[in-house]
Amino acid sequence: MSTDEKDTGTTEADAPAVETTKPEPVGAARWTAERKSLVLRAAAALVVGASVASSVILFLENKESKDLLAAQQGAREAACRYAPVLADYDSKSLDGYFQAVLDGATGDWKKQFEATSTELRDALTQGQVTSKATDTQCALRTGDEDSAEAIVVIGTTISSLGTEHKAKPGQLSMVMSLHNDGGRWLVEKVNSPLTAMPAQ
């Protein structure tokens, strides 16, 4: 046996296998990168879209809340303005009083007041009644953008034949139902469960 043929203790079968990987084609690498970029862009678009949608919803909810608060404030102020109108009159000149009451009225309340105006005028004139509103307190009980209900307490002084034309303090409590008529709050129902008569 020659030295070239000496057993080295290893054969070709025993030699470690060399792992070879084929390089990925350039086009495939580019496609993978583009696909990842598209996925990232799509994810970003979804996030932005969700954020915009949330912003729109919050904006609309905030706007609705502001509109509701503005409507409630308008209804309360209308009730506070109208209440003294009801309690401020002089039997010697009732035309302005009746007109002012009707200007702020609508629905059942307007019909009711118109139907009883003749009798009311006669009673006030015969009794020589004069009433002045001295204080008004009002609060909204319920309300949305179309309708509202207000509780009103009016302090008054009233003089008449019955009081010998001496002004006597009185108080009138009422519940007003209001309706939003094109941005203007009008009173459509008046309920006066508690009416304090002037002191004798």
Side-chain angles (χ1 to χ4, degrees):
M1 179 182 295
S2 66
T3 55
D4 292 335
E5 294 176 353
K6 282 183 182 177
D7 187 4
T8 59
T10 62
T11 64
E12 287 184 13
D14 295 331
V18 178
E19 185 177 346
T20 60
T21 56
K22 294 182 180 179
E24 188 175 357
V26 175
R30 186 179 300 124
W31 165 248
T32 302
E34 288 178 359
R35 187 168 55 184
K36 288 180 180 177
S37 177
L38 286 172
V39 170
L40 289 174
R41 281 188 220 163
L46 286 174
V47 171
V48 171
S51 176
V52 170
S54 297
S55 298
V56 169
I57 291 170
L58 289 173
F59 170 77
L60 292 175
E61 288 178 348
N62 189 45
K63 183 178 184 302
E64 286 178 3
S65 178
K66 285 183 178 179
D67 289 346
L68 177 60
L69 290 175
Q72 291 174 338
Q73 179 70 11
R76 193 188 71 81
E77 290 175 354
C80 289
R81 285 193 304 268
Y82 191 70
V85 170
L86 295 176
D88 208 344
Y89 53 84
D90 187 335
S91 60
K92 295 176 183 176
S93 55
L94 290 170
D95 289 343
Y97 168 70
F98 281 97
Q99 188 59 54
V101 171
L102 291 173
D103 283 347
T106 189
D108 290 344
W109 168 239
K110 187 171 186 177
K111 292 175 184 175
Q112 178 186 342
F113 191 82
E114 286 176 329
T116 59
S117 60
T118 300
E119 291 82 356
L120 180 59
R121 182 187 293 270
D122 290 343
L124 294 177
T125 302
Q126 291 172 12
Q128 299 178 14
V129 182
T130 299
S131 175
K132 296 291 181 186
T134 58
D135 178 59
T136 303
Q137 300 177 36
C138 48
L140 207 64
R141 185 156 74 176
T142 61
D144 54 32
E145 293 180 37
D146 298 316
S147 60
E149 197 172 80
I151 300 172
V152 179
V153 179
I154 312 166
T156 64
T157 57
I158 301 177
S159 66
S160 65
L161 283 175
T163 65
E164 299 178 345
H165 298 292
K166 294 177 182 177
K168 300 289 185 178
Q171 190 178 76
L172 181 64
S173 300
M174 64 183 69
V175 176
M176 289 183 185
S177 296
L178 299 100
H179 174 70
N180 190 344
D181 184 9
R184 184 179 179 220
W185 287 96
L186 299 174
V187 177
E188 62 181 359
K189 188 180 292 185
V190 174
N191 183 19
S192 300
L194 299 173
T195 303
M197 298 302 293
Q200 298 297 319

